Amino acid sequence: MTGTDSAVVDDDDVLTLLVERVPETRRLVEEKYGLRQDEAPPTVDTGLDLYENLVDLLTRPVLQPALARAEPDGDLLQRCFGFVEDVYADTSEHRRGAVYFQVLECLLEAGPYLENSIPYLRGPVRERVSRMLKHYEVEGYERGLPALGTASGG
């Protein structure tokens, strides 16, 4: 899945996009920002929370557990990585750095995270992960990720 919106998402709209794409994060957003059930996420002054929000609202509680499952939920992973693609599509170093450090590097924390994510990585996000694997000389991925047509599991 690629991101569905061709327009660049503003930093303060990332929470709204997260809750829309990955409703599994709604409760966490509500708790963090003291929102009532179904109250819209804040859209002002949240850009500075981007690093923290990516890891605390998406990566640790939703993405990594989904990737750790013996039978990963393909729909959930497509939505998570579609969201990540849209956030990464911005050309700002702040935004790309947040995705790199808070989402993509976390794929290396346990074997199943990386292996189960491969079928869902697309476009510039896939290219970045491939370069990261080569740079870190990750065993089995010294040449980066396989071509999409040869990726296993997807």
Side-chain angles (χ1 to χ4, degrees):
M1 173 179 181
T2 58
T4 59
D5 296 326
S6 59
V8 175
V9 178
D10 183 87
D11 281 353
D12 283 329
D13 291 330
V14 168
L15 280 177
T16 300
L17 182 64
L18 176 62
V19 169
E20 287 174 358
R21 287 285 179 80
V22 189
E24 294 83 349
T25 63
R26 174 170 277 292
R27 181 186 54 78
L28 299 165
V29 171
E30 289 171 349
E31 288 174 9
K32 177 174 182 171
Y33 289 95
L35 305 175
R36 293 181 308 278
Q37 187 175 3
D38 295 328
E39 184 178 357
T43 57
V44 176
D45 297 331
T46 61
L48 294 177
D49 298 338
L50 183 60
Y51 276 73
E52 182 180 327
N53 285 343
L54 285 175
V55 79
D56 291 343
L57 302 177
L58 176 68
T59 303
R60 299 266 186 250
V62 178
L63 185 58
Q64 286 180 327
L67 290 169
R69 292 186 189 130
E71 296 282 331
D73 179 340
D75 176 63
L76 174 59
L77 292 174
Q78 284 179 333
R79 289 184 287 113
C80 286
F81 284 110
F83 165 80
V84 169
E85 288 172 25
D86 282 346
V87 174
Y88 194 77
D90 186 73
T91 58
S92 79
E93 287 302 314
H94 171 73
R95 182 86 68 87
R96 286 179 171 246
V99 169
Y100 178 84
F101 290 112
Q102 303 302 74
V103 180
L104 303 182
E105 271 199 343
C106 294
L107 298 178
L108 300 182
E109 291 180 9
Y113 298 161
L114 176 61
E115 185 177 316
N116 290 335
S117 70
I118 291 172
Y120 304 98
L121 297 170
R122 302 282 186 261
V125 169
R126 186 180 184 86
E127 292 169 18
R128 185 64 186 112
V129 170
S130 192
R131 285 194 320 267
M132 176 179 70
L133 295 172
K134 291 177 197 176
H135 177 76
Y136 290 151
E137 298 178 355
V138 174
E139 187 176 339
Y141 296 97
E142 295 86 356
R143 293 181 170 209
L145 292 174
L148 280 174
T150 62
S152 63

